[in-house]
Amino acid sequence: MAAQCGSLNGSKLNFIIMKRVIFALFTIVMGFGIATASAQTSEEIFGIRLDTLQKPAGKVLGILQELKKTEDFRKAAEATVALHEEGDVNATYALGVWHEVGVGVQRDVPKAMTFYKAAADKGHAASMNNYGFALATAQNDPEKIKEGVALVRKAMDAGNEVAVRNYAVFLLNGIGMDKADPDAAKAVLEGAIKKGDGEAALTLSSLYAQENGIGPDQDKMVENLQKAAELGSVGGQQALGQLYLGGTTGLEKDPAKALDLLGKSSEGGSAVAKNLLATMYDQGVGVEVDKAKALELYLAAADQGNSLAQNHLGNIYQNGTGVAQDLAKALRYFRAAAGQGLTPALYNVGVYYEQGRSVDKDPEKAFQSFLLAGSRGLALAQAKVGAYYLNGLGTLRDAVAARAWFDLAAKQGFVPAQTQLGLLYEQGVGVERNVRTAAQLFSLAADKGDVGASMKLADYYFNGVGVEVDKVRAYVLAGKVAEASEQAAALQARIKEQLTPDQIAAGDKSLAEIKTAGTEAAAE
């Protein structure tokens, strides 16, 4: 279940789609915080990219390689601390990284900054970038900001690729400087691209997607994205593959190219690419359907924390698609995705607590999950919250709050919410009674085939409630849903008894036209 939104068309929509793909990668390619080198060139061991180590790196490199084999982090940490105390700058830097991200140790950002500063004072480029970036972005002191920017510049001059991208962003936004300088920012990135930095190309692509003195420029955005992919940027390969998968202005839909690019990005470690590849194998897009391969990729992406893959696995285990049905495992995956704030997963967790699937029924937990999903705009969840408030399930009964939540869902076009909101206006529950508003809401839902709303509106037109009397229209409304409901068929029969032969003929003609239009629409 996905939230619905309005739509645009033409090249403007295509450009917006492309920008969204790039923006999804923007914070990644900036490399803020941890000094990650170009994804296309460096091996990473427990958060440490090997080409961020200052040469000679033999001792720390040996510890990391042993750690990779044994995964004995305690032993590695003890050895690294000992080297740090001996003055080994790479050991000091490694301790900074581990404390910043909580790898093998409890996350402690202030302690990480202490390690970074100590290494930066000894000229360690990656540490200068990390500590400088922290000063430049977490201070209100102009002098500290300038000090941080200067450290990042120094790291850039020492060859740290992430510092290049960070410094370009400082230039673009005038951070720690007298004024913003977009041209200088672009020049810094272009210089890095000439040296083969694919992440710089991805960063520049993202900047061309914005109004910032560099962009927006769709052609330049695509051109630099292609450069990023060619230079081996995992994020660039993923973004370009995603665009080829959907197709957009300047890039025709090409599943074969998408498969190739996403495959490279997946091999480079992109969880997003793995999830997209899984979908391609799952649905047979650009490749033969291979459910086993799709499952393998979904599992790999989920293990890396991709929330979309986790939610999809929840559905797979819930429905027993290619696997044995396992509701407990489904719930674990839904919870994992919900823990990252994925809206559909939050709703799914709510359903499990509501219905008691593999857990005891718990209306309060269900309500909380629906509330979180509804707060993020999911109409289905908003309607659930409205129902829980209306009936006092998992929370105190509150008709006014119920009406407000049903209204949110109804405004998104969620048909059951439109019908329920109409009933509240009809009955004056949580809102002043207003049958005209009720009729309008029933009309919206009836236009989309809702049986209850169609019957209500038929009754309104027959009796002149909130609308002018129109018995033929009442007959047609009931007739539209008569095949789906015995009650509607009975209502149509009762209305027919009150009509003249001419009125019945007119109603039957309208119903025939509606049926023909529906058949043609289905054929399309």
Side-chain angles (χ1 to χ4, degrees), residues 3-217:
Q4 297 179 7
C5 61
S7 62
L8 299 170
N9 52 50
S11 61
K12 184 177 181 182
L13 172 59
N14 290 321
F15 190 38
I16 289 172
I17 292 171
M18 296 172 79
K19 290 199 295 183
R20 287 175 179 169
V21 172
I22 302 300
F23 285 151
L25 293 159
F26 190 64
T27 57
I28 298 173
V29 303
M30 286 300 134
F32 295 161
I34 300 173
T36 55
S38 296
Q40 67 267 28
T41 60
S42 179
E43 180 184 0
E44 179 180 317
I45 300 177
F46 282 82
I48 309 294
R49 285 198 173 274
L50 301 189
D51 59 2
T52 61
L53 298 177
Q54 183 171 293
K55 295 179 181 180
K59 292 181 179 180
V60 169
L61 184 57
I63 291 172
L64 291 173
Q65 289 173 337
E66 183 67 18
L67 175 59
K68 184 178 179 181
K69 294 177 184 177
T70 65
E71 297 189 3
D72 186 344
F73 193 88
R74 183 173 181 177
K75 182 179 178 180
E78 289 174 353
T80 305
V81 169
L83 280 179
H84 158 67
E85 291 174 349
E86 293 174 9
D88 188 303
V89 69
N90 285 318
T92 306
Y93 162 67
L95 291 172
V97 172
W98 287 338
H99 281 87
E100 182 174 6
V101 296
V103 174
V105 296
Q106 184 173 350
R107 187 168 187 263
D108 188 334
V109 175
K111 194 169 184 178
M113 293 304 121
T114 300
F115 286 121
Y116 284 148
K117 184 180 186 306
D121 289 344
K122 294 181 179 181
H124 189 272
S127 296
M128 287 190 290
N129 171 70
N130 291 1
Y131 184 63
F133 184 84
L135 286 180
T137 58
Q139 299 287 332
N140 293 319
D141 184 341
E143 293 305 314
K144 288 290 184 182
I145 293 173
K146 287 183 179 180
E147 179 186 348
V149 171
L151 276 171
V152 172
R153 173 60 191 263
K154 192 174 180 181
M156 180 183 78
D157 292 341
N160 183 266
E161 292 179 345
V162 178
V164 173
R165 302 192 289 275
N166 285 342
Y167 191 68
V169 173
F170 292 158
L171 286 168
L172 178 68
N173 295 287
I175 297 172
M177 303 172 189
D178 294 334
K179 62 178 182 179
D181 193 340
D183 290 336
K186 183 171 72 170
V188 165
L189 291 170
E190 288 175 340
I193 294 168
K194 288 179 181 178
K195 295 178 182 178
D197 185 352
E199 303 308 314
L202 181 55
T203 300
L204 187 55
S205 176
S206 70
L207 296 182
Y208 273 119
Q210 308 171 64
E211 294 182 7
N212 52 19
I214 292 179
D217 187 323

Side-chain angles (χ1 to χ4, degrees), residues 98 121 176 224 250 275 277 296 328 337 342 344 414 457 465 483 524:
W98 287 338
D121 289 344
N224 280 280
N275 181 63
L277 272 179
E296 175 188 330
L342 186 68
F414 188 58
L457 195 58
V465 178
E483 292 183 3
E524 293 176 359

Side-chain angles (χ1 to χ4, degrees), residues 428-505:
V429 176
V431 66
E432 184 177 349
R433 187 172 186 268
N434 188 327
V435 290
R436 287 187 179 275
T437 299
Q440 292 169 357
L441 288 160
F442 290 143
S443 180
L444 290 173
D447 285 345
K448 296 175 182 176
D450 185 80
V451 174
S454 297
M455 291 177 62
K456 272 288 181 183
L457 195 58
D459 182 68
Y460 274 28
Y461 273 107
F462 188 80
N463 294 295
V465 178
V467 293
E468 295 294 326
V469 172
D470 187 336
K471 294 185 177 181
V472 173
R473 188 166 185 180
Y475 175 77
V476 171
L477 282 163
K480 281 174 60 179
V481 293
E483 292 183 3
S485 166
E486 292 182 1
Q487 290 179 312
L491 176 61
Q492 185 192 27
R494 291 197 298 273
I495 294 172
K496 186 176 183 179
E497 292 174 356
Q498 306 296 317
L499 302 182
T500 66
D502 288 344
Q503 288 175 319
I504 294 171

